[in-house]
């Protein structure tokens, strides 16, 4: 069984799944937790941080933490058993991560300001990136 989830976090906390809000999900299931097939932990502090998460498949997992202002994370997981851990600590950091395939693993940590990570994992790959700087950028595609 495949499922499709889109989570969008902006100034106002909003969770959507086929136009079902977190409150509606709690009314339907008795809990506001995501299904086991799409496990996600999202934690934000600061102002104007944005997380855009799309998961399609089964057993995909994501942990995203943002602390600071104007950080942006866009994550696409398509397939089975993909895992992403993203931490952004600072201002105006940006992560664009696509995991397409099965069993991809990514760990991204950004500490500082104005950093950019673009990582595409197409197939089955593992990658870890630590940016501890200002104005740093990296772009990687793994097949």
């Amino acid at each position: 069984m495949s499922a499709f989830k889109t989570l969008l976090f902006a100034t106002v906390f909003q969770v959507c799944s086929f136009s079902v809000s977190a409150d509606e999900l709690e009314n339907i299931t008795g809990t506001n937790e995501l299904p086991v097939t799409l496990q996600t932990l999202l934690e934000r502090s600061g102002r104007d941080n944005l997380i855009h998460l799309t998961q399609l498949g089964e057993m995909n997992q994501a942990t995203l933490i943002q602390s600071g202002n104007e950080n942006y994370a866009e994550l696409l997981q398509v397939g089975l058993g993909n895992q992403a851990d993203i931490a952004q600590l600072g201002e105006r950091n940006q992560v664009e991560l696509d995991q397409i395939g099965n069993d991809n693993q990514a760990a991204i940590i950004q500490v500082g300001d104005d950093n950019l990570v673009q990582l595409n994992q197409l197939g089955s790959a593992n990658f870890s990136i630590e940016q501890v700087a200002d104005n740093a950028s990296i772009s990687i595609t793994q097949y």
Side-chain angles (χ1 to χ4, degrees):
M1 178 175 113
S2 68
F4 180 79
K5 291 271 184 206
T6 299
L7 298 176
L8 176 63
F9 287 77
T11 303
V12 177
F13 183 87
Q14 178 182 21
V15 177
C16 300
S17 170
F18 295 111
S19 300
V20 176
S21 71
D23 291 335
E24 292 170 327
L25 182 61
E26 186 171 357
N27 290 337
I28 294 168
T29 64
T31 179
N32 62 2
E33 295 180 9
L34 294 170
V36 172
T37 57
L38 300 169
Q39 294 182 4
T40 306
L41 170 64
L42 304 160
E43 184 177 318
R44 300 181 315 127
S45 69
R47 299 178 61 106
D48 298 319
N49 291 312
L50 178 68
I51 296 172
H52 185 201
L53 169 63
T54 305
Q55 295 177 309
L56 177 62
E58 295 181 9
M59 301 307 293
N60 293 311
Q61 297 181 4
T63 302
L64 297 102
I65 298 170
Q66 292 178 319
S67 180
N69 299 313
E70 299 178 34
N71 292 303
Y72 174 77
E74 182 171 339
L75 171 58
L76 170 65
Q77 294 179 311
V78 178
L80 306 172
N82 295 305
Q83 178 162 351
D85 298 310
I86 299 172
Q88 295 176 304
L89 310 172
E91 312 269 326
R92 298 172 304 280
N93 293 306
Q94 183 174 346
V95 171
E96 298 170 5
L97 173 59
D98 291 344
Q99 295 180 311
I100 301 172
N102 300 329
D103 301 316
N104 290 298
Q105 293 183 0
I108 299 170
I109 298 171
Q110 292 178 310
V111 178
D113 301 330
D114 302 302
N115 294 308
L116 171 65
V117 170
Q118 295 172 313
L119 175 58
N120 298 308
Q121 295 179 306
L122 312 173
S124 178
N126 296 310
F127 210 86
S128 179
I129 298 171
E130 289 186 27
Q131 282 182 322
V132 181
D134 293 330
N135 299 304
S137 66
I138 187 166
S139 181
I140 298 169
T141 300
Q142 293 181 302
Y143 295 95

